[in-house]
Each structure stands twice: as structure tokens, then as C-alpha cells.
Amino acid sequence: MTSARRAEPTDVLTGRPDLALPSAGPDPVPWSTALAAVLGYARGRRPLRYRSPNEREGRWVQVPAFGYDRYDARPVRTGPLGDEDVLVAEGLHGRLDPGGWSVVRAALDTAQPVADALAARAAGRTFWELPDDEFSVLGEPGTVGAALRGLGELAEPQRRHVSAALHHRRPDLVPLLHRATWLQTVPHLREGDSGTAAVVHRELRANEAAFTALEEAAAVLLDVPLTRLRLHDVLVWLSGTLRLTTAVALGEATEEWRRSPCATG
């Protein structure tokens, strides 16, 4: 007698697979929830009371609720890392004081050969296409995981700003590094992992069908598409910072959501 294979959990609205992301929480994320959250991250706005120095009274304006416009939608530069890359990283993590700016700018010069080595090692493959050995200490030295761990050992503010600059250049290869997602990810490390990038890699591989569909649907709705590596980061960050519900509500309030067949199945 053979046992029946248990069906993969699916979203009741779309029929697409749920996302099993332990780093985002114990329960699977319904596919439609993930799509709405991503749309809310990219399109959501919040009210801000603004008054310029030459105005007697302020006025309410709508500003982006999250970092998509300030970071993800910025044009990607080519050539050596430079001043513009610091500005891009500030769009995600906030302005630096003059001293911090100089430190981050110098760190980018140091990170340039690391970024070049990462790209050479990947040999045209994306982060999620790399084999598991690239994120195991057993494969070191010279692995992608070892290089990413080295970047994670930088002091602040270099760590998060340098990773933001490198991710913006290669959003399909370099994960973002920041404290919120690190705290969500580090409990899921396994013996032999080269760092938290191994956790991200496992979750992307385990949810390949769901992330493929999410990546394709988001590309239809957004002006600048997000890779599944960035989509994973957005979902984990929203969950870990208790912003997921807000992002979903903002996404479901958009015109794109209301008219999209992707959201209604």
C-alpha cells in the first residue's frame, strides 16, 4: 500500500503555492498576501505634514511609505563603485553624517574587489541558482557565502550601506544585510552554514514555484521589477518589523490590485 503524497499548501484565492518562510514566521504566507504586501511596499503612501521655511502654514502631502521609490526604482549605475552608490544606499537606510559618509565611501573601495570576486564566482548565475556548496563552510575558501559573510562582518554603518549599494548593483546576487532581517534569519542557521545567506538560499530554493509566480506577477504591476531575492527580503523585513499588515492593506487599496487578475486568481 502506498501513501498518498500530501498536497503542497496553496492560496485559496489564487491556487498558487503558499510561501513557507520560517524566517518570516511559523505560518506559511498566502501567495495573495505576499503579492499585496509587495504592491503595498512599492505603491503605498502615507500623509506627512510639510512646511517649507518660507511658508506661514504647512500642508499635508503624500510621501512613499517605504523605500521602493528612493532605492529600488533608482537607475542602476555601471562602472566602479562610487559616490552615487552611497546616495542610493542612503535612500534605503537614511542619511549619513559627514563622518559616516566618508567611512562608507572608503568601505566601498575596499568592497570593490569582493564584489568583483562574487560576480566571477557566480559566473552569470543568480543567487538562487547557485549550488548549496556555495553557502557551506565545507566548500570554503572562495565561495559566495564566505564573501558575503565577510561583508556582514563590517562595522556599522558600513555593513548595511555597503550591502545596499552592492545589492542595488546586483539585486539577483547580493542579499541585503540589516539588523531586522538578521534577527529573523539567524535562528534558522544550520551546522555548516557559511552565514545567514544560506538560510535565504534554502528558502528561495524551497519556494521556487511560489517565488517564480510572485516575481512574474510583481513585474507586471511594478515599473521596476524586483528579483525574488529582494522579494524575500521585503517579506521578511515587513514581517519582522510588524509592518506586513500595513503593507497588505496599502497594496489592496491600489488600483493595480483591484484590476489585476493576479490578485483575484
Side-chain angles (χ1 to χ4, degrees):
M1 179 178 178
T2 58
S3 60
R5 183 180 178 182
R6 187 173 64 179
E8 186 177 23
T10 57
D11 187 298
V12 296
L13 293 177
T14 65
R16 295 181 174 90
D18 292 344
L19 289 93
L21 305 176
S23 60
D27 300 320
V29 180
W31 192 89
S32 58
T33 297
L35 180 59
V38 170
L39 186 56
Y41 175 82
R43 292 283 188 261
R45 295 293 185 266
R46 65 179 180 88
L48 175 70
R49 186 71 174 176
Y50 172 78
R51 184 175 70 85
S52 64
N54 61 347
E55 288 181 313
R56 297 186 62 181
E57 296 184 5
R59 64 186 187 278
W60 288 104
V61 295
Q62 294 289 321
V63 299
F66 302 108
Y68 177 82
D69 290 328
R70 300 186 301 270
Y71 176 71
D72 299 283
R74 292 282 298 271
V76 178
R77 295 183 65 251
T78 58
L81 296 165
D83 295 353
E84 181 66 24
D85 295 285
V86 182
L87 297 175
V88 168
E90 285 183 317
L92 185 65
H93 292 308
R95 295 291 298 275
L96 294 161
D97 60 30
W101 199 97
S102 298
V103 167
V104 169
R105 178 63 185 84
L108 284 178
D109 290 335
T110 304
Q112 182 71 65
V114 178
D116 294 341
L118 274 171
R121 180 79 178 191
R125 294 170 294 181
T126 63
F127 179 89
W128 53 93
E129 291 172 335
L130 294 170
D132 294 343
D133 287 348
E134 286 295 322
F135 303 96
S136 170
V137 294
L138 299 178
E140 298 182 11
T143 62
V144 168
L148 293 173
R149 186 178 66 244
L151 292 173
E153 292 170 352
L154 291 170
E156 290 292 5
Q158 298 101 299
R159 177 167 57 239
R160 58 180 178 174
H161 281 74
V162 167
S163 74
L166 295 181
H167 175 81
H168 192 262
R169 289 288 192 106
R170 286 297 306 271
D172 62 345
L173 182 60
V174 181
L176 281 165
L177 297 172
H178 40 76
R179 181 169 175 77
T181 52
W182 182 85
L183 289 171
Q184 292 290 109
T185 307
V186 73
H188 302 283
L189 284 170
R190 299 176 182 172
E191 185 177 358
D193 285 347
S194 58
T196 55
V199 178
V200 178
H201 185 256
R202 271 196 299 273
E203 293 189 357
L204 288 176
R205 295 288 287 267
N207 295 273
E208 182 178 1
F211 271 112
T212 297
L214 185 62
E215 197 175 45
E216 292 172 352
V220 172
L221 298 175
L222 303 181
D223 302 321
V224 178
L226 299 176
T227 68
R228 67 189 65 184
L229 182 57
R230 179 66 171 127
L231 292 170
H232 179 278
D233 177 80
V234 166
L235 293 173
V236 174
W237 180 78
L238 289 171
S239 298
T241 58
L242 305 182
R243 293 177 168 93
L244 182 63
T245 301
T246 298
V248 169
L250 289 170
E252 291 178 344
T254 62
E255 182 61 32
E256 293 97 330
W257 175 267
R258 287 191 288 268
R259 68 170 183 257
S260 172
C262 299
T264 57

